[in-house]
Amino acid sequence: MIINDNDKISSFQCFVLFVSVMIGIGIMFMPASVAKTAEQNGWLAVLLGGILSFAVFLLIFKIIMSNPDITFIELLNDAFGKILGIFFSLIYVLYFIIFSAFETRLIAETAKEFLFNLTPNEVLIITFLLTCAYISRYGIEVIARICEILMPGIVVIIVVLSFFVYQRLDFSNLLPILNIPFLKLIQGIGTTIFSFLGFEAFLFFMPYIRRKDKLIKSAFFGFLVTVLLYEVIIIFATADFGAKEMQTMIWPTLNLFRDVTVLEVVIERPESIIVALWMITTYTTEIIFLMTTGLILARIFNTKEHNFFVFSQLPFIYILSLIPQNISEIQKFMDYFSYFFATFVVLFLPLVTYTVLSIKKKVKKT
Amino acid sequence: MKQKRGAVLAILMVFLAFFMSGCWDRVEIEDRGYILALGVDKYDPSDLNKYESSEYIDLDRKTQKFSPEQKKPDIKTDQKGIDPQTKRKVKPPLPSSKNEYKFAVTVLFPNLRTIGKDSKPDEQMRFLFVRPTNNVVGVRNYLEREINKRLYYGYLKVVVLGRDLVEEPGYVREVLDALNRESDIPQNTFLLVSETTARDILNTMPLVQPVTGIHLFEISKNASIYGRVIDTPLSQVVNSFIDSNCAVISRVEPGVETLKVAGAAVFKNFRFVGWLDERQLQIYKLLMGKAKHTFIDDLKYKSTYVPFITTEIQSKKKIKSEKGRLKIVYNLRIEGEVIEFVFKSGYKVLDDPMRKYIQNELNKIIKKRADDLIYLLKYRYNADVLGVGDFISKKRSKDWEKLKKNWDDEFKKIDIEVVPDVKLRRSGTIY
C-alpha cells in the first residue's frame, strides 16, 4: 500500500488525535466508579492511572519504533509468521469493534436518558454509527482535521462551565487524603484504565506520522490535557457531591454540570448542551476506532483503500452494542474488557511480539 | 439511465425520511405543564374529605377566581369511586382497609396563557391538583389522564413536605429517593417542611407573587443573603442525610394572604425530631458560615434596642484534644454595623465606651445563644446537623473509626465551644 504525502499528519494533529481518542464516554461515569474503590482519593487514582497509561504508551512506542515505517500488523507477521500474524491482527479488529460497541451503547443510553426519551435505542445507535462511518471512510488526515476543529471547543466549554460550578464546591470533601488501604487505591487505578484507553490506536498510525521523533512530545501533551481535564472533573465532582453520594450516581459528570445556572436567564439546565458535547467527544473517539479497524483490515487483505471495511463492521458493532441488558451490566462487561482483553491487547501482545522479534534478529545475526 | 437515477433518488428519499424525522418526540412549549411545586402529604382520608366539602369548594372558587356561575358537578360516589347513575369511575376510590394510599400529592403548574398577550384579565395564574397516590413523582402519570399538558419536572422549584409525612421515616426516604432518582428534577430544587399540610401551603396565593412555587423559591434563594431563612436545596439535604443521617430542612408557615419561610425542621434518621426557631436558625447559619446579613436585635443600651446587622462572617472550625476528649472550637469573626439609635442622644456609636459595650454584649449574646443551640442539638434532638462527625472524619480519621460505632452517644460527649469576635465597623451616615 502506497501512502501519498497528503495523508500524513503533523505533530500537532497527533496531539489532537491523542486527546480525541482518549476522552470518550468513559468520563461520564468514571468519577462514580473510581469513588467506589478509592473514595475521596479518586483524583490520585486518576493521576496515577494517567501516568501508568503514559508508561504503557512509551513501551508501545519503543516497540513500534523498532521499525517505524510499517504498522504493527507487519510486525506481527514478521514475528509469528503469516497465519498466526493474521490471527493476532484479527484479535485487534475484534478489540476495536467491541470497544466501539461500548461507546455506541453508552452514548445511546445517555442520549435516551437525558435528551430523547421516546426515541428507540436502535434508532439512536444506527444514526450515531452512520454519522461516524460517514467521516471514517476518509483518510487519517481528514479525521485529524475534524478532531482539530472539535476538540478545542469541547475543552474550552468544559473549562468555562467548570467556572460556574466552582461557586458551590466544598473542597473539604476531598479530605482526608490517603487514609484508604493501598490495595483499594490500586483498584481505583484499575477502574480509570478504561477512560484512558484508546491510545493503542497509534500502533497502526506510525507510517502516517510526518515527524516520528516528535511523537513522544505530542503524546505527552495529549496525556497531559486528558489527565488535567479528568482531574478537574473528578475533583469538582468529589467536592460537590462527596465520595459517598457519588458512589450512588450513574452519571456523576452530567449531574455536576446539569444544574449550572448562568445569570438566571442565559443558561438554565445546560444538560442538553453537555449531552451534545459528549456525543461529540464520543464521536471523535468512535471515528478513530472505525478508521483504525478499517486500516487493519485493509492491511490484512492488502487493499488500497480502507473505506469499504468501515461499513462492513457496523452490523457487528450494532449487534454487540445491544447485548448488555442495562447500564450496570455494561459497566461489568467493561471492567472485564479493560482488565483482561485490553491488558492482553495493549500490553501483553506488543511485548511478546517485541521479544520474539529481538530473538529472531539475534538468531539471524548469528 | 434516467429511470435508474430516479429510483435511486426515491430510495434515498425514503431512507432519509427515516432519519430526518428525529424530532418526533419534541413537545411544543405551550403543550408542556411546567410543574413548579410539589406538595407531599401523608394520605389522610378524613383530611381529603375536608377538601371535598362545600366550604372548601367556596374557598377554592374565591382564591382561584372561578366565576360564580361555574359550579363544580356534585357527584356522589360509592366506595369504589363509581358514580351510581352513570356507572363511570369519577373519583379515586375512597380508602378502605384494602386500598390505603400512602401519599396525597399536590401538583402546581402555572398557566402559561396568562403570560401571553391575549390573556384574559380574570384568568387564573396557576393550576393546583391534589391526588392520592402511592408514588410521589409518578403522580404525573396519573394526572396525564385528565390534563392536556405534558407535565415536566425540569423546572421544579420547591418540594413541600407535610407535617404528618415527616413523622414517618419510611415515607421520607421514599420521597427523597424519588426526587433524587428522577433525572428531570434539578438538584437545586428547594425542600421545605410545612407547619401544617403541604396542600395548605400550595393552596395559598401569596399577594406579592401569586404562583406559590416561585414565591417560595425566591424567598429561599434570598436565604443566602439574609440570616433568618435557610436554603435547603435537594442536593444538600441528600448529602447531609448520606453523611450523617441528619438534616435541616427549612420550614414554611401558611397564612391568609402570604406564606412565611421561617425556622427549620431538624431530622434525625429520616424522622422529624423538632423545630429550630428563627433565632436558633440565625446562630445555626452563623456556625455553618452561611449567613451574611444576620439581624440581631436583642441588645439593649440605655433603654433603647440597638439593632446590629452583620456584614461579614468567617466561621472557622478547629479540633483540639483535651485529656483524651475531642473539643471543637468555632471561631466566629463577625463584622457589622449599627443601623439605628436615638437621634441627638449624645452617645457616639462608633466611639469607645459604647462601641466596646456593644461588642462585648453581642459576644455574650451570641455565645449564650450558641450554647443554647448546641445544648438543644446535643441533648434534646441528639442530631448532628452541625456536621461535627463529618468534620472529625475528615480531620481525625483515626479517632473517627473509634467514635463512629456509637456516634449518637459520643456526640453528646464532645465539647463544642463557640468563640465569637464581633467588630463594629459602621453606623450609617451619622456618628
Side-chain angles (χ1 to χ4, degrees), chain A residues 261-269, chain B residues 157 217-218 221:
Chain A
T261 313
V262 182
L263 301 174
E264 290 290 305
V265 197
V266 183
I267 300 178
E268 208 182 352
R269 299 181 62 79
Chain B
K157 300 289 186 201
F217 174 74
E218 283 171 353
K221 220 171 52 183

Side-chain angles (χ1 to χ4, degrees), chain A residues 26 37 44 56 78 81 85 96 106 120-121 138 143 145 159 161 177 193 203 222 240 242-243 248 292 302 327 332 362:
Chain A
T37 49
L44 208 66
V56 171
D78 287 350
F96 282 112
L106 281 167
N121 248 348
Y138 296 98
I143 287 167
R145 283 186 185 196
V159 170
L161 279 177
I177 295 168
I193 285 178
L203 279 172
D240 193 15
T248 66
T292 316
N302 216 356
I327 183 91
K332 210 164 68 190
K362 270 178 194 167

